Amino acid sequence: MTMYEIIKKKRDGHELTKEEIEFFVEGYTNGTIPDYQASALLMAIYFNKMNKRETADLTTAMVNSGEIIDLSAIEGIKVDKHSTGGVGDTTTLILGPIVAAAGVPVAKMSGRGLGHTGGTIDKLESFKGFSVDMSIEDFIKNVSERKIAIGGQTADLAPADKKLYALRDVTATVDNISLIAGSIMSKKIASGADAIVLDVKTGSGAFMKTEDDAFELAKEMVDIGTHVGRNTIGVITDMDQPLGFAVGNILEVKEAIDTLRGEGPEDLTELCLTLGSHMLVLGKKAENVEEARKILEDIIKTGKGLEKLKELVIAQGGDASCIDNPELFETPAIIEPVLSEAEGYVEGIEAESIGRAALLLGAGRETKESKIDLSVGVVLHKKIGDFVKKGEAIATIYANNPDKQKQAEEVILKAYTFKAEKVEKRKLIKGIVTKDGITKF
Ligand code: URA
Ligand code: CA
C-alpha cells in the first residue's frame, strides 16, 4: 500500500478501505506521510466525499491515534454534551449542575481555546482559586462522589485530529461534512462518553450557516456515534443572534447563576432544558423528554442546580461566596450603555459582530498567548422582535479601556438592524436528529 495509490483512488471517486484509511491516519500522525500528500488526499475527499462507512473508519482511526480516557470506574451512563459553538454560549455552566443534580454523572474535560470569550475553564476561574488541576484518579473520584467534575484537557486525545485540523485550516478543506463530523466525534469518543448530546448551531453566528447543512452535519455525527455504539442525539438550534444576553466571562457566569435561580433569559433557559432533557433520557434518569423536563424544572425551582454549582466550585478550590453575592465578582472600570440611533423592531443582530466586540474588549483570545480579561464584555438588552426607541439602551459595554469601549460601541451599533413593522421572535429549537431519523419543528 502506498499513499500515492490511496490519493489516486480517492481522486478517481472510489471508496477507501478501512486499512487504507488507517494507513493514512497512522502515517500522518507519526510523520511518515508528509503534509503535501495528506493535503492532496484531503482535497480529494473534499471533492469526492466519503460515505458513512469511510467516515466512521476515519473517526475510529483518529480516536485510536492517542489516549482514550477510561471512565468505566464511574457508575452510571456518562453523557457528554458538545456544542458546535457560537456567541454567548454559557450552557455548560448551567447544564452540568442541573444534569448532575438529576443523577447523571458529568465528567467534563474542557478547554480554554480561542474565541470571542474564554472557554468553560476560563469562565470557572471567575471564582477565585478554582482549578482544574487534578489527577485522573481524583477526577474520577470527584465525579463518583458529586456527579460532577470539570477537568482540563491534559490527555493526548485524538492527536491525528489535531494535526489534520491544523492542515485543513490552511488548505481550504475544513468545510466538508464528513471531515467536520469525524473531527468532533473523535474527540468526544476519546474522552470516554457513553452517550453524546450534540448542540448543532445554525445561523450567522455559527459554523453551519444554513439549516440544511446543520441537519446534515448532525445526521453524520449521529451515524458515527451509532456506528461505534455510542447513543448520540443532535439538536439543531438557532445562532442567528447571541444566546442569552451576556457575552463575556464573568458576565456569562452571572447569567448562568441567574438561570440556575430560574431568573435567566428565556432562550438560554429553554436551550438548557431541551439539551438537559435529552441527557437525562440517554442517562436513563427519565423515561422520556417530557418527564425529564419536569425533573429539571424542579431542580431549578428548588435551588438544587445552584447548590450543585456551589458544590463543584468549592470541591475544585474556588471561592463560591459570589454565587450568593454576585457583587463580589470583579467589575471593570467602565460600564457604559450603547444608545440606539434608530427606532423600530429589532430585525437582526449579527452574532459574529457582538462576539467581535467582546473580543475587542479583551474577553477572548486572539492567539494562544493572549491574556483574558474576565471582567469585560457586552450585555445585550434587546433581542430580535423587541421594540427599541431612539436613544434607548440596546446594550451595556463592560470595559477597562476607553478606546476599546468606543470601538466596541461602533461594532455593536452596526450589528443591529431595525424594521418599522413588527418582527416575529425566532424559533430556537429547529429540530432533532436521532438514529431513527430527523424531526423538524
Ligand atoms: N470543530 C472541530 O473540532 N473540527 C472541525 O473540523 C470543525 C469544527
Ligand atoms: Ca449568554
Side-chain angles (χ1 to χ4, degrees), residues 38 49 51 67 96 117 139 157 159 165 222 224 259 265 278 297 327-328 337 360 373 393 400 404 406-407 410 433 436:
K49 316 225 161 27
N51 64 23
E67 281 176 62
T117 65
F139 178 73
L157 301 181
Y165 196 10
V222 167
I224 294 171
T259 308
H278 288 290
E297 282 171 344
E327 68 281 358
L328 295 177
L360 254 170
D373 183 343
N400 269 320
K404 288 185 174 167
K406 281 278 158 244
Q407 287 168 29
E410 271 172 43
V433 179
D436 302 320

Side-chain angles (χ1 to χ4, degrees), residues 165 168 174 179-180 183-184 187 207:
Y165 196 10
R168 286 163 58 212
V174 169
L179 295 176
I180 298 171
S183 168
I184 294 172
K187 286 171 280 204
F207 209 62

Side-chain angles (χ1 to χ4, degrees), residues 91-103 106 124 127 146 148 253 256-262 272-273 295-313 320 323-324:
T91 51
T92 301
L93 293 177
I94 302 159
L95 267 176
I98 59 174
V99 169
V106 177
L124 281 165
F127 299 104
R146 269 177 282 275
I148 187 166
V253 171
I257 293 169
D258 288 344
T259 308
L260 286 169
R261 282 212 171 88
C272 290
L273 289 172
I295 295 173
L296 294 175
E297 282 171 344
D298 191 58
I299 283 171
I300 292 177
K301 211 178 288 162
T302 55
K304 285 185 195 138
L306 198 65
E307 277 309 311
K308 194 49 90 175
L309 176 67
K310 269 186 215 167
E311 216 183 310
L312 165 74
V313 169
I323 293 181
D324 290 324

Side-chain angles (χ1 to χ4, degrees), residues 174-213:
V174 169
D175 281 342
N176 171 276
I177 300 262
S178 294
L179 295 176
I180 298 171
S183 168
I184 294 172
M185 288 300 284
S186 64
K187 286 171 280 204
K188 290 287 116 182
I189 295 164
S191 52
D194 300 317
I196 302 156
V197 174
L198 301 159
D199 176 12
V200 182
K201 309 277 193 193
T202 171
S204 68
F207 209 62
M208 295 285 125
K209 302 291 175 203
T210 71
E211 267 182 52
D212 284 350
D213 282 350

Side-chain angles (χ1 to χ4, degrees), residues 87-91 123 242-248 251-252 255-256 265 267-268 378 383:
V87 179
D89 198 340
T90 329
T91 51
K123 288 176 192 164
L243 187 64
F245 297 114
V247 184
L251 297 171
E252 288 183 37
E255 187 167 69
D267 58 350
L268 182 60
V378 180
K383 299 278 292 257

Side-chain angles (χ1 to χ4, degrees), residues 20-33:
E20 286 162 340
I21 290 169
E22 283 170 354
F23 178 87
F24 160 61
V25 171
E26 281 167 28
Y28 187 58
T29 310
N30 68 27
T32 53
I33 293 168

